[in-house]
Amino acid sequence: MSTIQDKVIIIMGASSGIGEATTKLLAQQNAKLIIAARRLDRLKAIKEEFPEADILIQQADVTNYEDVNKVVELGMDTYGRIDVIFNNAGIMPTAPIVEGRRDEWQKMLDINVMGVLNGIAAVVPIMAKQKSGHIISTDSVAGHVVYPNSAVYCGTKFAVRAIMEGLRQEQRENNIKSTIISPGAVATELYKTINDKNVSEDLHQAQKEWGLVPEDIASAVVFAIYTPERMAVSDMIIRPTTQPI
Ligand code: NDP
């Protein structure tokens, strides 16, 4: 199976930014989509924009395994298989470590790391049985390099990279592809999750000066999905051309 049209694709964190842009691009290509996030009104608005498309919506918090499993069950009940899951939900409340924002650290670990693991746990047994499947997670340039005021966020994205590589090694014989998409700065609502005023201003400025648009990343996700059975994209780092880090 190689056309997007035939694929059953789950997108976690589909209500804005990269997830929303990816949903829209795939809807235009007639994929069978199951989209999820916490903001149901946003998911409904996306579905209404594409009345002809096969889009199922499900409210889900990725930190809650039962929620994630419901999304996967909706896909299985409707189509009897899952071809792709895009673990894209994430937050970035970055700040210097000295500020000790333990609640924000916990939230980042829960959403950025456990959220990805919950998505993986819910689909791997199904894909292993199918002897085919594709797990894509949104990593970051921050999953490859560390920079000041972002230690914990970088830690979550390094973790995603390690987990996805381990997944690749363990599940390659079941024909399951593992892909991380690693963007640099992209203009999205992610920057609103930063509560430290100074860090927020710096990063907002950087994103405005040279950030990509979510559609740039969506096109990379679609490329990775479009690859033939024999070909797996492990990692795509996509920086704005002028980004220094
Ligand atoms: P947005 O804030 O626009 O999108 C984040 C998405 O994640 C939303 O759909 C949000 O939905 C969802 N989300 C957050 N928390 C949860 C949760 N607990 N359960 C379910 N969904 C959740 O930002 P981006 O599009 O930029 O972010 C997408 C991914 O891209 C993230 O993993 C981010 O780390 C990564 N990234 C972004 C970069 C950038 O510069 N923008 C650079 C590198 C990586 P809702 O709030 O409705 O639940």
Side-chain angles (χ1 to χ4, degrees), residues 10-195:
I10 293 173
I11 302 180
M12 307 302 297
S15 58
S16 62
I18 293 167
E20 178 182 7
T22 306
T23 300
K24 291 181 175 176
L25 194 53
L26 288 167
Q28 285 157 11
Q29 303 185 21
N30 300 318
K32 296 171 173 56
L33 298 171
I34 304 107
I35 62 171
R38 294 167 302 183
R39 289 171 295 177
L40 194 56
D41 54 329
R42 295 283 199 103
L43 300 178
K44 281 184 183 154
I46 295 169
K47 183 175 163 65
E48 278 163 19
E49 220 182 290
F50 297 90
E52 306 290 318
D54 288 321
I55 302 179
L56 300 171
I57 59 175
Q58 175 74 44
Q59 189 169 35
D61 183 329
V62 294
T63 65
N64 181 337
Y65 181 69
E66 298 309 313
D67 279 11
V68 176
N69 211 25
K70 264 192 205 148
V71 179
V72 174
E73 275 172 7
L74 180 60
M76 287 301 283
D77 291 347
T78 311
Y79 298 111
R81 65 171 203 281
I82 306 294
D83 296 308
V84 181
I85 187 168
F86 181 26
N87 295 308
N88 169 69
I91 58 168
M92 190 182 66
T94 58
I97 288 176
V98 69
E99 290 184 13
R101 293 171 179 261
R102 294 179 61 256
D103 287 352
E104 292 183 355
W105 297 348
Q106 188 67 59
K107 276 197 189 121
M108 267 191 283
L109 289 164
D110 287 346
I111 296 174
N112 298 7
V113 182
M114 276 313 296
V116 168
L117 283 168
N118 284 338
I120 292 171
V123 298
V124 162
I126 295 167
M127 291 179 175
K129 216 166 167 190
Q130 292 173 171
K131 292 270 180 239
S132 97
H134 192 171
I135 299 175
I136 306 172
S137 298
T138 311
D139 201 69
S140 176
V141 167
H144 296 73
V145 293
V146 181
Y147 42 92
N149 303 335
S150 285
V152 182
Y153 180 72
C154 291
T156 65
K157 293 299 185 179
F158 268 66
V160 168
R161 181 155 67 95
I163 291 161
M164 292 295 289
E165 170 57 13
L167 173 73
R168 184 191 73 74
Q169 293 175 16
E170 289 181 24
Q171 287 300 324
R172 71 199 158 77
E173 285 180 351
N174 282 328
N175 211 22
I176 298 177
K177 299 183 186 185
S178 163
T179 298
I180 54 171
I181 304 288
S182 300
V186 187
T188 68
E189 294 173 25
L190 190 74
Y191 293 80
K192 289 189 191 159
T193 65
I194 307 171
N195 297 314

